[in-house]
Amino acid sequence: MMKKLVVLMMLIGVLGACVQAAVPAILVDDFSDTDLSEYTMNYVLVQNTNNTTSYASPSGTLQVSKPADTDAEQTLLLRDDYSLSVGETLRVDALVASVSGLNCDFGIAVATMADLPDSTGTGDRQGYINMYIKAGSSGWGCIGFDTVNHQIANTGYVTNQDLSVITGLFITRTGADAFDVGYSTASGDTVFRSLTVATGTGIGAAVGFYSDLRGEITYGDLDNLRIENPSFVAHDPTPDDAAPIAGVAQGDGTADVILSWQAGLDPNGFMVVNPDIKKHYVFMSTSQSVTLPDPNLYYIGEVAHVDYGTALVDTFPTVTDLAEGSDYLWKVLEGIDDGQGGVYGPNDPNNYDGPVWSFTTANSLPAIDEGGQPVSTMIIEDTSTYDAFTIAVTSASTPLYQWFYSADDQIGGDTEIGTDEPNLPITNASVSDEGYYYCRVANDATVSGGGSEVDIYSDVVTLAVGRIVGEYLFDEDTLADTSGNGNNGQGKSVSGLAEPNALLASDVTLGYETGVNGTGKAVVLGTDEYVDFGTAAYPKAGSLTGGVGAGLDAGTITCWVKPAQTGLVLGTYNEGLTSGFAFSLTPNGDATDTRIQVRGEAADVGTLQGRLTAKPGSDIFDTEWHLIAATWTAGGTIAVYVDGEEVIAGDAGAPALYAAWQRAVLLGASRQFASRDLLGDLYGGSVDDLKIYNYARSANEIANEYYVQTGEMACLDHDFDGSLYDVVSEGTSYCKVDLADFAEFAAKWLTSGLGTGE
């Protein structure tokens, strides 16, 4: 059928232009006749079998009726010769009032088709959304079902509102599967809900009306069902809407901008541009940055539109003397043929209203883009070349970059590094690279570029180098820290004390035995012995030299154990529920878990424990060496490993602060809550190759450490492709499909569950 164009009045929404402007739209129905044959009636919910709801347009508006009956009847009146595309708005005028004591909902809807799968109301509601006026309780609401009986989230209604202010309802398709629904008043549109439907449901292929009647009533009125498209008015502006840099800075504090746009398309489809458009009136605000923000738009001029066949773009003469680096608002009202050989003037309400756009004028000074600041990062030690930091800027002239390394977090008097590039690469990172960094940005207008304005500086950010920060191999019968940090240990004994107390413990020379895999040495702790590594040991609360590098925000602990009893392997706690950590073997019923707890000030990174249950015969007390490990990243994940295999993982919290250690980090004894000087959970057994990192090592790296010492591969994925056929998962057949699994399968070759059933 022929699509008709209707011009409807609405407030422009921006003061200063002092006009009301028209919005062109495709008219679906103005109900100027009584024929509703284009629509299909659907019952989507009934509480009886009467099906008595009806629609009519006897007086140029749509009304809905129901005879005396208190049972609910929800209906849709739909047509599919029109559809709602992405960016378009379905709109209707609403001339309605409250209905005291009667439930009566009436509004608009979009659906998957005109004739829904169940049109009796006895099946499952599906394939539509709506926006309605709730006349019986003076409010409005929406509801929708995108798949069979699956109600869309975020629907609902409000009551006890003033319906007299409502002038219309609308549904805007904001995306392929997204809609805004709401109502209109003299002040403009209000979005009531934003709805997301299941992907690919096709809602929007049909348009129409919705009602829910629960009593005798004839109710209305809805009128002028129409579809608005943003391409029917001025659209696609240049500069782009919200452009961060527009025009050309003149170097004297001003900028010049050329404005252009595409003219409104012909809703009737006969021509490219709507032939009613004869002129374009341009309105612009004052600077929103230099003076107090002024939302008014002021008329600044006009251009004629003369070609309706192919020409889409109209260009306004250069706007000069705008404040550089400032925000402006602008819009285009399209001047309409007045039917007498002329064009309506710029303040005439018959013109077509366009959207309000914005831009920021070019600035002679460089500006760091939103989201363009460098960010703090970590680089793993000895990686070849890595762009540690990047900055993104906008500049009217060629930007100049200078990076700096700083020993503190202050700008000034620091070492120049890098080249004139927005990226700063770090080659073969080492601890000497750890510290603070920032970038100076200049151009022709700033001092470093030959101008007079002040240079621009980025945020100060930190570079941490991921590395091993504590290493105790015990190979020379010593407790030496071979990481280079020098946090050597001292053997301690609480033998003979009535209450184990770190203050009363005596120095002792610990014993050693052959280490893991029969090489080197391992320390042996008696059930009353432990090691004191001092308050400078790692994992470290507080910060590294220079203020960066790692607190307890990220780390890895790995070691080989041959325990005689459960207890704490490595840890310490400050007073109260503050910073601390504990890496331990802890009883769990008849079994033993590997456990990690990491805590900051007033918040935990996490507490997690688990054991290796998937591998048959695994027993941490079998007098063999076992690799235990824990990794964590604040705000990321925390995980526990046994024999190279992840046994449990979870989300990690992100404390804002970690306090420096008040007491020494201990190997083999736990500090008690009642007094941090009192000791408990003393570990008894051997420990070898204790390593601490200031970052979370990967599952592959931990599995490789186990493989290097044992020659056995850890299971990284129990749900590997084909794991269904891993029916024998022990010994050399663990975590893989091989001949042992085939033999188990072959043993049942040709066995059958077939039968005749007789």
Side-chain angles (χ1 to χ4, degrees):
M1 63 179 291
M2 181 72 68
K3 294 182 178 180
K4 297 177 288 182
L5 178 68
V6 63
V7 175
L8 298 145
M9 309 304 295
M10 68 177 293
L11 188 66
I12 192 172
V14 179
L15 300 176
C18 299
V19 298
Q20 288 184 319
V23 178
I26 296 173
L27 180 66
V28 177
D29 203 336
D30 62 2
F31 305 104
S32 57
D33 56 40
T34 60
D35 183 11
L36 298 178
S37 61
E38 302 97 337
Y39 297 89
T40 300
M41 179 83 156
N42 296 263
Y43 282 87
V44 293
L45 177 68
V46 295
Q47 293 180 339
N48 55 37
T49 57
N50 295 333
N51 292 8
T52 57
T53 297
S54 62
Y55 293 85
S57 55
S59 305
T61 61
L62 184 68
Q63 299 175 346
V64 63
S65 299
K66 186 172 182 284
D69 185 350
T70 59
D71 293 327
E73 288 185 2
Q74 294 180 4
T75 63
L76 293 167
L77 187 69
L78 300 171
R79 60 193 295 170
D80 58 10
D81 50 344
Y82 294 88
S83 61
L84 192 67
S85 300
V86 174
E88 293 183 336
T89 296
L90 180 70
R91 192 179 295 275
V92 72
D93 296 333
L95 311 171
V96 296
S98 297
V99 179
S100 177
L102 180 64
N103 192 323
C104 176
D105 300 345
F106 195 21
I108 56 174
V110 292
T112 57
M113 60 187 71
D115 189 3
L116 293 173
D118 173 50
S119 60
T120 66
T122 59
D124 295 318
R125 289 177 287 182
Q126 59 182 291
Y128 68 91
I129 63 175
N130 58 35
M131 179 67 200
Y132 57 84
I133 291 170
K134 197 169 187 62
S137 51
S138 298
W140 45 81
C142 63
I143 197 170
F145 299 87
D146 55 9
T147 55
V148 177
N149 211 32
H150 180 196
Q151 184 170 338
I152 298 164
N154 232 1
T155 59
Y157 60 86
V158 297
T159 58
N160 300 317
Q161 306 295 314
D162 182 6
L163 291 188
S164 67
V165 303
I166 300 296
T167 60
L169 303 172
F170 68 87
I171 299 175
T172 299
R173 190 169 187 174
T174 58
D177 305 301
F179 298 83
D180 283 348
V181 301
Y183 58 90
S184 304
T185 67
S187 299
D189 290 343
T190 298
V191 174
F192 177 62
R193 294 283 192 272
S194 294
L195 309 179
T196 301
V197 304
T199 302
T201 55
I203 291 178
V207 302
F209 301 90
Y210 165 84
S211 73
D212 180 357
L213 305 183
R214 307 190 183 198
E216 181 178 359
I217 192 172
T218 295
Y219 186 75
D221 295 287
L222 300 184
D223 198 8
N224 296 319
L225 184 67
R226 59 199 183 272
I227 295 174
E228 297 171 357
N229 188 307
S231 295
F232 294 163
V233 295
H235 59 285
D236 290 345
T238 301
D240 292 337
D241 188 24
I245 177 170
V248 178
Q250 300 301 300
D252 59 357
T254 68
D256 296 348
V257 178
I258 297 176
L259 306 176
S260 65
W261 59 92
Q262 290 196 17
L265 304 183
D266 184 2
N268 296 295
F270 296 138
M271 307 184 77
V272 176
V273 174
N274 188 338
D276 290 337
I277 298 173
K278 303 300 183 182
K279 286 185 178 181
H280 305 279
Y281 301 115
V282 179
F283 292 76
M284 181 176 285
S285 72
T286 59
S287 167
Q288 301 295 288
S289 304
V290 174
T291 59
L292 290 175
D294 177 4
N296 297 326
L297 299 182
Y298 303 97
Y299 174 72
I300 63 170
E302 64 185 57
V303 293
H305 190 91
V306 296
D307 186 340
Y308 306 101
T310 58
L312 290 173
V313 177
D314 289 275
T315 302
F316 191 75
T318 302
V319 183
T320 61
D321 296 326
L322 299 178
E324 71 171 26
S326 189
D327 298 329
Y328 287 86
L329 308 173
W330 68 293
K331 73 183 303 177
V332 175
L333 264 66
E334 295 179 311
I336 303 303
D337 190 329
D338 64 4
Q340 300 179 15
V343 184
Y344 291 114
N347 291 317
D348 195 288
N350 289 289
N351 294 319
Y352 291 164
D353 186 22
V356 177
W357 300 310
S358 68
F359 61 78
T360 302
T361 51
N363 196 330
S364 58
L365 297 177
I368 300 174
D369 296 343
E370 183 177 356
Q373 289 279 4
V375 295
S376 298
T377 190
M378 173 181 280
I379 300 176
I380 305 304
E381 191 174 31
D382 291 331
T383 50
S384 54
T385 300
Y386 185 89
D387 279 339
F389 303 112
T390 298
I391 190 171
V393 305
T394 298
S395 177
S397 58
T398 302
L400 305 172
Y401 304 94
Q402 179 59 65
W403 292 90
F404 292 87
Y405 170 84
S406 175
D408 55 28
D409 60 355
Q410 303 299 310
I411 292 175
D414 297 312
T415 304
E416 295 183 355
I417 58 173
T419 58
D420 180 16
E421 297 292 340
N423 303 322
L424 177 63
I426 299 293
T427 301
N428 297 325
S430 68
V431 68
S432 63
D433 295 308
E434 205 163 58
Y436 296 93
Y437 292 80
Y438 58 90
C439 184
R440 183 187 69 207
V441 183
N443 68 3
D444 292 348
T446 70
V447 172
S448 295
S452 59
E453 300 291 336
V454 176
D455 295 326
I456 304 300
Y457 287 86
S458 75
D459 294 342
V460 179
V461 291
T462 58
L463 174 67
V465 177
R467 63 196 188 280
I468 192 166
V469 290
E471 182 181 59
Y472 303 92
L473 303 179
F474 310 115
D475 287 343
E476 305 300 326
D477 291 355
T478 70
L479 302 174
D481 176 11
T482 53
S483 71
N485 285 323
N487 295 314
N488 302 328
Q490 172 61 56
K492 296 282 186 174
S493 174
V494 293
S495 177
L497 297 180
E499 185 175 51
N501 190 319
L503 295 177
L504 302 178
S506 58
D507 292 349
V508 66
T509 300
L510 301 175
Y512 296 85
E513 67 167 336
T514 301
V516 63
N517 201 25
T519 60
K521 293 294 183 66
V523 67
V524 180
L525 299 176
T527 56
D528 56 3
E529 296 175 329
Y530 66 95
V531 177
D532 184 324
F533 289 123
T535 56
Y538 293 89
K540 192 180 190 72
S543 56
L544 297 179
T545 301
V548 297
L552 282 178
D553 58 331
T556 299
I557 305 172
T558 66
C559 66
W560 292 85
V561 295
K562 190 163 55 172
Q565 66 180 30
T566 59
L568 185 127
V569 178
L570 188 72
T572 192
Y573 284 104
N574 288 342
E575 291 290 351
L577 294 174
T578 59
S579 299
F581 79 100
F583 181 50
S584 61
L585 295 175
T586 188
N588 184 357
D590 295 333
T592 298
D593 289 345
T594 298
R595 184 178 189 271
I596 182 68
Q597 180 181 58
V598 183
R599 182 190 299 158
E601 295 297 284
D604 283 354
V605 174
T607 300
L608 209 61
Q609 65 185 62
R611 58 185 181 275
L612 188 57
T613 59
K615 191 171 186 178
S618 177
D619 179 9
I620 202 130
F621 288 104
D622 60 4
T623 72
E624 301 292 334
W625 286 106
H626 293 274
L627 178 67
I628 59 174
T631 66
W632 65 92
T633 301
T637 58
I638 182 169
V640 172
Y641 296 80
V642 176
D643 287 344
E645 181 175 324
E646 181 186 285
V647 295
I648 189 169
D651 295 333
L657 179 67
Y658 306 89
W661 295 140
Q662 297 169 339
R663 293 170 175 78
V665 174
L666 305 181
L667 172 69
S670 174
R671 298 189 181 278
Q672 301 301 290
F673 181 74
S675 170
R676 296 308 192 192
D677 290 321
L678 297 180
L679 306 179
D681 301 319
L682 274 79
Y683 167 88
S686 302
V687 180
D688 198 9
D689 289 358
L690 171 63
K691 299 174 184 177
I692 303 105
Y693 302 80
N694 65 347
Y695 66 97
R697 304 199 81 199
S698 69
N700 280 330
E701 289 173 317
I702 292 173
N704 183 65
E705 184 161 344
Y706 181 71
Y707 174 75
V708 167
Q709 294 293 347
T710 66
E712 297 180 14
M713 291 184 285
C715 187
L716 294 179
D717 180 11
H718 285 279
D719 295 320
F720 63 91
D721 187 18
S723 60
L724 176 66
Y725 306 104
D726 185 19
V727 294
V728 178
S729 192
E730 58 186 12
T732 58
S733 188
Y734 178 61
C735 197
K736 67 179 178 179
V737 178
D738 59 7
L739 286 176
D741 302 296
F742 180 75
E744 183 71 14
F745 165 73
K748 297 178 177 59
W749 183 254
L750 294 183
T751 58
S752 171
L754 296 173
T756 65
E758 295 181 356

